[in-house]
Amino acid sequence: MALREQARAWLEAQLGGEFAAARGLGGPGREHEGFELRRAWERALGKAGWTCLAWPEAYGGRAASLADQIAFHEEYARAGAPARVGHIGETLLGPTLLEHGTDAQRRRFLPPIQRGEELWCQGYSEPDAGSDLAAVRTRAELRGGEWVVHGQKVWTSLAHVADWIFVLCRTEPGSQRHRGLSYLLVPLDQPGVRVRPIVQLTGDSEFNEVFFDGARTDAELIVGAPGDGWRIAMATLGHERGVSTLGQQLGFQREYDRVVEAARRSGVLDDPVFRDALVRSWIELRLMRHRSPGSPTAKLYWSEWHRRLGELAQQAQGLDGLIAADGELNDLQRLYLFSRADTIYAGSSEIQRNLIAERVLGLPR
């Protein structure tokens, strides 16, 4: 049986049985939904071999082809399976360790990620650095066989539920910009770490501030050489917009369909100006299918599109969209509010345009 059929059969069986209540839970702006159930789902995925498909078999993967990876993510989205809680470890740290980690690091960290047993978060952004990653000021010093970390990270997604964090920090005193940075693997459950959730527009808290006040990690838990952190960090970012984002587009299609249905119920669909914007959105969604997820323009394109869809979602509800019934946001209201962040996180649109101009088009700074 082809992988697509295997995945479809397994997903239907699980989501129609033990994990029926997990269907459709989670996602941006909704990470609070059924978290413990989704963590159990992560372990079930790992046990059945549906995590880390592209990884070598030696580390629990399937060494799956690109076509098979795409097939799985499409079936996952079609099944309405819950949003993953282990994706940062699987799609960011895991591939980084496969390329740049030591054998000991791969043996220690890859199996628990594949099994869904350890969750990770990403320690890059800082309060005073904005989108300028090279301006990080979190520092670490090697003392007696351990790195001792001081500083602060911000907008750290899922840090409040993660077990570990990979941290870009400055390990050479007096260094500036891209030099003197290192990439450390730091446990979060220790006295030197404090995680403080940030309340979002939606009223939930799925990203956080992380404070390091003498946090410690073993000297061997550095990826690459000391001072080589910028290169490793860029390698991680290179994996950020991978194959899994193709399944994201099926989620976008479901959101679009809900917007159309809401506009039909409210009567807003009769407005020719709204209909014109809706058709334009549909065309742009179709064009998205023809963009490589690794393209320099991909994140800029989908984030701007999704923010506009959020605006349509709010308009589609008419005046009812201005009211949170019983104090609870509905799915379209949540889409509108959280999609405001799409053009900011994972590289703001302004930064994306600069990167495209300088690195792709060769324009001057």
Side-chain angles (χ1 to χ4, degrees):
M1 184 185 296
L3 185 140
R4 181 184 292 275
E5 284 70 35
Q6 292 176 18
R8 183 180 300 161
W10 188 87
L11 289 164
E12 287 178 355
Q14 297 298 313
L15 293 171
E18 179 182 358
F19 291 99
R23 191 185 293 269
L25 294 181
R30 300 166 52 207
E31 292 291 359
H32 62 288
E33 295 178 344
F35 181 81
E36 289 304 322
L37 180 59
R38 289 163 54 215
R39 185 154 195 175
W41 170 255
E42 193 76 19
R43 293 191 290 269
L45 283 170
K47 185 176 181 180
W50 292 115
T51 61
C52 311
L53 296 180
W55 290 14
E57 294 179 4
Y59 296 107
R62 297 186 181 221
S65 67
L66 179 61
D68 277 346
Q69 294 174 61
I70 292 172
F72 172 77
H73 288 295
E74 288 181 340
E75 292 303 321
Y76 193 91
R78 285 196 182 99
R84 297 281 305 280
V85 298
H87 60 282
I88 295 176
E90 175 176 338
T91 63
L92 297 183
L93 180 68
T96 302
L97 292 182
L98 286 169
E99 288 185 41
H100 303 286
T102 64
D103 288 339
Q105 289 168 353
R106 288 191 282 266
R107 287 194 302 270
R108 164 60 184 86
F109 293 111
L110 295 185
I113 292 174
Q114 187 279 324
R115 294 192 299 264
E117 295 173 354
E118 288 184 345
L119 304 183
W120 285 80
C121 59
Q122 179 179 22
Y124 277 13
S125 297
E126 295 189 3
D128 297 324
S131 293
D132 185 4
L133 187 57
V136 299
R137 297 195 298 182
T138 295
R139 66 189 190 279
E141 179 184 358
L142 194 58
R143 297 183 199 163
E146 291 183 311
W147 292 102
V148 182
V149 186
H150 292 269
Q152 180 186 358
K153 298 294 180 178
V154 73
W155 315 124
T156 312
S157 297
L158 302 181
H160 60 300
V161 294
D163 304 296
W164 288 80
I165 181 171
F166 49 95
V167 182
L168 185 64
C169 55
R170 201 162 292 282
T171 52
E172 295 180 11
S175 63
Q176 295 183 355
R177 304 298 298 164
H178 311 90
R179 296 183 174 85
L181 298 172
S182 296
Y183 189 111
L184 303 182
L185 311 178
V186 181
L188 286 170
D189 186 13
Q190 60 168 303
V193 176
R194 180 164 59 95
V195 177
R196 185 166 68 186
I198 299 172
V199 179
Q200 304 158 187
L201 279 173
T202 58
D204 305 309
S205 300
E206 62 193 53
F207 41 69
N208 311 263
E209 295 177 283
V210 181
F211 300 89
F212 301 100
D213 184 13
R216 295 174 179 270
T217 194
D218 291 344
E220 293 78 16
L221 297 186
I222 179 172
V223 183
D228 197 25
W230 182 259
R231 183 175 69 92
I232 307 300
M234 292 302 100
T236 298
L237 291 179
H239 298 291
E240 190 167 25
R241 310 189 225 290
V243 175
S244 61
T245 59
L246 295 175
Q248 173 191 55
Q249 295 169 20
L250 293 177
F252 288 164
Q253 180 66 60
R254 287 199 298 273
E255 290 177 338
Y256 178 89
D257 293 342
R258 287 200 293 270
V259 171
V260 174
E261 181 57 33
R264 184 175 288 114
R265 289 196 306 269
S266 68
V268 174
L269 197 59
D270 296 331
D271 180 351
V273 175
F274 180 85
R275 284 204 310 272
D276 181 72
L278 204 59
V279 170
R280 181 180 296 274
S281 180
W282 182 87
I283 293 170
E284 291 171 344
L285 179 56
R286 291 300 176 275
L287 291 174
M288 200 182 300
R289 295 287 294 176
H290 300 284
R291 288 177 177 268
S292 166
S295 164
T297 63
K299 198 272 177 176
L300 177 65
Y301 185 91
W302 74 253
S303 63
E304 294 283 348
W305 177 88
H306 200 228
R307 187 177 68 174
R308 292 193 295 271
L309 181 69
E311 293 166 354
L312 290 176
Q314 189 67 0
Q315 296 170 31
Q317 302 170 82
L319 293 177
D320 289 344
L322 301 177
I323 302 171
D326 299 323
E328 291 292 327
L329 297 172
N330 63 40
D331 286 346
L332 295 184
Q333 290 169 328
R334 194 174 294 278
L335 167 61
Y336 167 69
L337 291 173
F338 196 85
S339 64
R340 314 305 294 172
D342 286 343
T343 55
I344 301 172
Y345 68 71
S348 69
S349 288
E350 291 78 8
I351 292 296
Q352 297 298 319
R353 291 187 179 98
N354 282 343
L355 292 174
I356 293 167
E358 296 170 17
R359 300 184 183 180
V360 179
L361 301 179
L363 299 177
R365 289 177 60 85

